[in-house]
Amino acid sequence: MTTALNRPGAARRTPDPDPDMTPEVPRGADGPRAEEARRTGGAALLRAKIGLVMPEFRAVSGRLWGVPRVAELYPDYLCVLHSMVRSTIPLMEAALARSRELAAHGDPVAERLVPYWTQHIREETGHDEWLREDLAAIGRDPDEPLRRLPGAMAATLVGAQYYWLFHYHPVCLLGHIAVVEGNPPTREVARLLSERSGLPESGFRTLARHAALDVKHRDDLLRLVDSLPLTDPQHTALGLSALHTMDALVQLFRDLADAFRDPQVRSTVPQAPAA
């Protein structure tokens, strides 16, 4: 889950306004960096394209977590994440159905996507509920994300994937997933944000879980991309999908950061109803 979270430094309540967002990964000979360095196929090309816009993503992340009151921003941040995460399973179910249709007509890429979607749907089920549990843990109404009209940018981010998987090829969705799962937060982020905001660490469990889960999911996806018999247009489609998702995420997080630049601004998420 790409979350616009900076790499933690020393714990402090006022975040660095321009932090380094690059996730820490092991540097050993058999770690992710070594594996990445060995990639020469489609996965390396896709990661290179995403890397072109990573500086802009890091910059907007610094703005997001540099707001004066992280505790007021965080509930709204969870609602924004929910507007995206709630689409994960329906998107992959649509991709699975379309992949099966194409595979039945002899499409080799679609045929190899079927087991990936089947497995990943199982792995991602319930993650939207984790975000609602985090809202409840910080004393906010967990039903608020279900009541809100998702914003136009969230609809743009997700809606393009539906268009491409139905009207071009479901492989496009891998570009989107490479972004949202390709830069997981570090294990320290949940603790650090809890300290900075004064909110309980139990309200950051989604981030803590994804620090471990998304490393595996990212590596599984990259291995899949390398194994697929992609055509040149399909390589282009993967990059287009990924860059569209990056652009939309940058705009989403920029809008959220701008809304909370004023220290007097309060969260728009109501308190949890009294038991």
Side-chain angles (χ1 to χ4, degrees):
M1 180 177 66
T2 293
T3 53
L5 291 168
N6 38 309
R7 183 174 65 193
R12 55 184 183 280
R13 293 191 180 273
T14 303
D16 186 339
D18 188 22
D20 180 359
M21 282 284 302
T22 306
E24 292 282 8
V25 295
R27 295 177 177 270
D30 296 319
R33 281 192 179 146
E35 182 176 348
E36 182 74 10
R38 290 192 292 268
R39 294 190 187 281
T40 58
L45 178 61
L46 180 59
R47 293 282 286 178
K49 290 177 180 179
I50 294 170
L52 292 174
V53 291
M54 190 57 71
E56 184 178 10
F57 183 79
R58 289 171 176 158
V60 78
S61 300
R63 290 174 60 181
L64 182 67
W65 300 111
V67 300
R69 302 189 68 178
V70 173
E72 296 298 329
L73 175 143
Y74 185 62
D76 288 73
Y77 169 79
L78 290 176
C79 286
V80 169
L81 281 189
H82 187 274
S83 71
M84 296 181 289
V85 174
R86 71 189 300 183
S87 72
T88 302
I89 300 303
L91 266 176
M92 288 196 292
E93 288 175 340
L96 174 59
R98 182 61 177 147
S99 295
R100 284 172 170 160
E101 290 176 5
L102 295 174
H105 290 85
D107 185 322
V109 173
E111 182 179 3
R112 296 190 190 187
L113 289 175
V114 169
Y116 174 78
W117 301 132
T118 302
Q119 175 65 25
H120 207 42
I121 286 169
R122 289 196 293 265
E123 293 172 340
E124 292 294 317
T125 296
H127 291 201
D128 53 337
E129 290 302 303
W130 292 358
L131 292 164
R132 295 180 62 232
E133 291 168 3
D134 284 352
L135 279 168
I138 61 173
R140 302 287 177 163
D141 189 346
D143 291 333
E144 179 64 12
L146 304 178
R147 290 192 293 262
R148 290 193 176 197
L149 173 67
M153 188 53 61
T156 297
L157 187 156
V158 174
Q161 300 304 321
Y162 280 110
Y163 184 90
W164 284 322
L165 73 87
F166 280 120
H167 298 291
Y168 185 66
H169 198 285
V171 77
C172 294
L173 187 56
L174 296 182
H176 171 77
I177 295 174
V179 171
V180 298
E181 295 188 345
N183 295 279
T186 66
R187 295 177 182 273
E188 301 168 89
V189 161
R191 177 190 58 78
L192 181 60
L193 284 181
S194 174
E195 292 179 358
R196 292 181 178 179
S197 65
L199 297 172
E201 197 165 341
S202 59
F204 298 85
R205 283 182 292 191
T206 298
L207 303 180
R209 288 165 170 169
H210 278 274
L213 291 175
D214 281 356
V215 172
K216 177 183 182 299
H217 292 172
R218 176 197 61 201
D219 292 345
D220 288 346
L221 182 142
L222 294 177
R223 282 190 291 269
L224 173 66
V225 171
D226 274 341
S227 75
L228 294 175
L230 298 173
T231 65
D232 286 344
Q234 287 172 339
H235 280 295
T236 299
L238 278 179
L240 176 62
S241 172
L243 293 176
H244 170 79
T245 295
M246 281 292 285
D247 183 67
L249 284 173
V250 165
Q251 189 59 56
L252 273 171
F253 292 137
R254 180 183 292 126
D255 291 346
L256 186 59
D258 288 347
F260 284 86
R261 289 178 66 184
D262 185 341
Q264 302 304 313
V265 173
R266 297 293 182 266
S267 173
T268 63
V269 181
Q271 298 291 327

